[in-house]
Amino acid sequence: MSELTRLTIAAARDALRAGEVTSAELTEACLTAIDGADALGAFVHKTPEIARERAAAADARIKAGDAPALCGIPVGIKDLFCTMGVPSQAASRILEGFTPEYESTVSQNLADAGAVMLGKLNMDEFAMGSSNETSVYGNAVNPWRAGNSEAALTPGGSSGGSASAVAADLCLAATGTDTGGSIRQPAAFTGITGIKPTYGRCSRWGIVAFASSLDQAGPMTKDVRDAAIMLQAMCGHDPKDSTSADLTVPDFEAALTGDIKGKTIGIPKEYRMEGMPAEIETLWADGTAMLKDAGARIVDISLPHTKYALPAYYVIAPAEASSNLARYDGVRYGRRAALSQGDGITEMYEKTRAEGFGSEVQRRVMIGTYVLSAGFYDAYYNRARKVRTLIKKDFEDVFAQGIDAILTPATPSAAFELGKEFDDPVQMYLNDVFTVTVNLAGLPGISVPAGLDKQGLPLGLQLIGRPWEEGDLLNTAYALERAAGFVGKPAQWW
Ligand code: GLN
């Protein structure tokens, strides 16, 4: 593997500006790495022509002295983002053959900043999953392995391809989306950094919708500085998304001083889960000590409604999904199934949706329609919305008490073997136990790699911040990253 693909965005930016490397060279190095890594199943549509064209344009721009931070930086784009003229399938069979005639705002923002798209990345179908196993393309694989075992591990989900590609140095960074943890959980499973910004910070326009009140895009990067740089380029107000916030975007990278003296960090007692591996407990305690040593005040806090978060999420997210996915009917959207003589419109819908959606998506659509149906709406959907309000209030209360950020584990375990949880949806859903609260409350959350378990697999810690204070959150994450000193890389076997 070329050393070039291992660069962070910040290092590559400086080298590009200094004329020590060209975007064309960086891009070729990534394209070669990608071609050698098919075993990881990370890239599902490669776009070398687009990459070379954008790299040449970036090199010209840099030469002319116009070099925004992402100019010439090769990145991967999750398949959930619509990219003009490039297949955008949300890893679903039902979107087979769909090539959008428009570009998502986030990927357009990245292109405007000069980023070079290398291709589209694997994910769970419609971003539903925690292991990247529901993808129509087949699963992505984690570049990390446990000890001497050759067993294939999940990179997490739903942004599993993004995580695998960044961890394996196939690209410098990637986009992800996070509805209940899909940026933070795969980042934790692969030893990289991932931030879900405040709901409304990034435009959702042109991103295939899963659960619209929870979905947010965010960067998946090699370190915290890169997360700051890339988030800056991705976000901003977009009149095409009515939930996008009309706020000026602060300079996130400038916020990275590493100074967290006087900050107050909350440790929520409800996140101490029964049956959590001792190593995660230890990591959490170590992270707490690191922040304390860096000058933060540590306070025990309570977020009493935490235990209702997963059940509420698994009512609200499927409800919104069932409504969003109604458009894939083989007429307005979606690949229509082959019909038999005498089939009417009902058979057309049934066959199209039965063939086009995988089993997890079908399960969500059925749960969603059930909880929204006339007889059950109040018992499930409305109750879940009330619980959501209480969860949000738990956070508002601790922020009102002066808490600046909250430290928790990112996941209840390290990466597990592919296939191990696939037939047990409840077990699979538990992966998000520490992350869904953040989506339900619309808050920013970041996962930072902080250590290895005894099998040598990466573990992440999560920091949750106040709404719209991503700069402050990134700075606390930066202090944690510096103290943790995580430098692990997977050994190359692919
Ligand atoms: N794993 C969660 C789910 O399956 C979250 C997915 C996501 O954040 N997109 O719904």
Side-chain angles (χ1 to χ4, degrees):
M1 177 188 309
S2 152
E3 288 300 307
L4 286 180
T5 69
R6 299 179 75 117
L7 291 176
T8 58
I9 294 176
R13 166 192 65 184
D14 297 347
L16 284 164
R17 286 177 180 169
E20 292 159 12
V21 69
T22 63
S23 176
E25 288 164 344
L26 271 177
T27 301
E28 286 309 324
C30 289
L31 292 173
T32 305
I34 291 167
D35 281 337
D38 287 343
L40 293 176
F43 276 87
V44 292
H45 298 291
K46 302 176 188 174
T47 56
E49 294 83 13
I50 294 178
R52 290 189 177 111
E53 205 176 286
R54 292 201 190 159
D59 281 330
R61 221 170 139 178
I62 294 165
K63 235 188 202 141
D66 165 31
L70 278 187
C71 195
I73 304 292
V75 300
I77 305 287
K78 186 178 181 178
D79 200 36
L80 202 64
F81 293 79
C82 287
T83 42
M84 190 157 67
V86 176
S88 306
Q89 260 183 261
S92 180
R93 190 169 185 204
I94 209 154
L95 280 171
E96 201 178 276
F98 174 56
T99 48
E101 293 181 12
Y102 47 85
E103 185 81 22
S104 82
T105 299
V106 162
S107 53
Q108 186 64 52
N109 288 347
L110 289 172
D112 291 346
V116 172
M117 176 172 77
L118 296 162
K120 302 299 285 290
L121 291 161
N122 208 347
M123 53 178 282
D124 280 296
E125 185 179 7
F126 283 104
M128 298 174 192
S130 301
S131 64
N132 208 126
E133 289 169 288
T134 69
S135 167
V136 71
Y137 310 112
N139 57 262
V141 181
N142 196 324
W144 291 82
R145 286 175 162 181
N148 296 323
S149 161
E150 293 190 359
L153 303 180
T154 175
S158 66
S159 311
S162 304
S164 174
V166 175
D169 293 316
L170 309 184
C171 53
L172 273 56
T175 62
T177 63
D178 191 314
T179 303
S182 281
I183 288 177
R184 292 160 287 157
Q185 184 252 19
F189 276 10
T190 55
I192 66 166
T193 301
I195 180 168
K196 180 202 91 73
T198 314
Y199 182 80
R201 186 60 101 179
C202 284
S203 168
R204 290 180 297 106
W205 195 81
I207 301 175
V208 174
F210 163 12
S212 307
S213 77
L214 301 160
D215 299 341
Q216 264 297 291
M220 300 178 71
T221 57
K222 295 181 191 181
D223 65 13
V224 173
R225 178 173 301 279
D226 283 6
I229 296 170
M230 187 162 167
L231 178 60
Q232 185 91 37
M234 290 168 73
C235 68
H237 179 235
D238 178 12
K240 288 190 284 202
D241 170 5
S242 62
T243 62
S244 132
D246 193 359
L247 292 174
T248 44
V249 180
D251 185 338
F252 296 133
E253 194 184 3
L256 305 183
T257 62
D259 181 4
I260 56 163
K261 282 191 203 70
K263 294 279 173 200
T264 306
I265 308 294
I267 310 294
K269 65 167 189 256
E270 290 80 4
Y271 283 59
R272 193 149 282 122
M273 296 256 307
E274 215 179 297
M276 192 159 80
E279 288 167 297
I280 305 252
E281 284 271 7
T282 309
L283 179 85
W284 194 12
D286 290 349
T288 309
M290 288 174 207
L291 292 175
K292 191 167 179 213
D293 287 347
R297 197 163 69 92
I298 307 296
V299 178
D300 287 324
I301 58 166
S302 172
L303 299 166
H305 297 92
T306 301
K307 65 170 176 291
Y308 305 114
L310 266 185
Y313 172 85
Y314 277 100
V315 171
I316 293 169
E320 294 186 19
S322 73
S323 159
N324 275 326
L325 269 53
R327 74 190 70 179
Y328 305 103
D329 57 7
V331 180
R332 290 171 299 167
Y333 285 95
R335 166 192 170 284
R336 186 182 298 184
L339 301 180
S340 313
Q341 191 78 40
D343 280 350
I345 189 153
T346 307
E347 289 78 13
M348 192 278 293
Y349 286 150
E350 285 173 355
K351 288 186 178 174
T352 292
R353 288 168 67 84
E355 242 180 68
F357 290 142
S359 56
E360 182 60 28
V361 174
Q362 292 187 17
R363 173 162 34 236
R364 306 275 180 122
V365 169
M366 285 191 279
I367 295 172
T369 17
Y370 180 81
V371 301
L372 289 175
S373 60
F376 299 103
Y377 188 92
D378 277 329
Y380 291 102
Y381 183 65
N382 257 343
R383 176 169 279 205
R385 288 200 315 154
K386 288 178 189 161
V387 170
R388 180 180 189 173
T389 304
L390 293 171
I391 288 168
K392 188 157 180 270
K393 190 169 171 299
D394 282 354
F395 284 105
E396 285 163 1
D397 289 347
V398 298
F399 291 138
Q401 288 157 25
I403 298 295
D404 294 297
I406 296 162
L407 182 74
T408 78
T411 56
S413 73
F416 49 89
E417 274 180 39
L418 283 161
K420 196 164 152 242
E421 297 187 2
F422 191 63
D423 295 326
D424 185 349
V426 173
Q427 186 61 34
M428 189 69 87
Y429 295 172
L430 274 171
N431 272 285
D432 304 312
V433 64
F434 300 135
T435 48
V436 288
T437 51
V438 177
N439 301 74
L440 288 168
L443 300 172
I446 185 168
S447 173
V448 181
L452 296 174
D453 73 358
K454 56 178 178 299
Q455 306 197 82
L457 295 176
L459 296 171
L461 285 171
Q462 172 178 238
L463 282 160
I464 304 167
R466 296 163 176 264
W468 311 115
E469 295 193 9
E470 288 90 350
D472 203 46
L473 178 66
L474 284 157
N475 185 41
T476 306
Y478 182 59
L480 181 63
E481 173 185 64
R482 291 215 292 197
F486 181 91
V487 286
K489 282 273 180 191
Q492 191 175 345
W493 52 263
W494 56 92

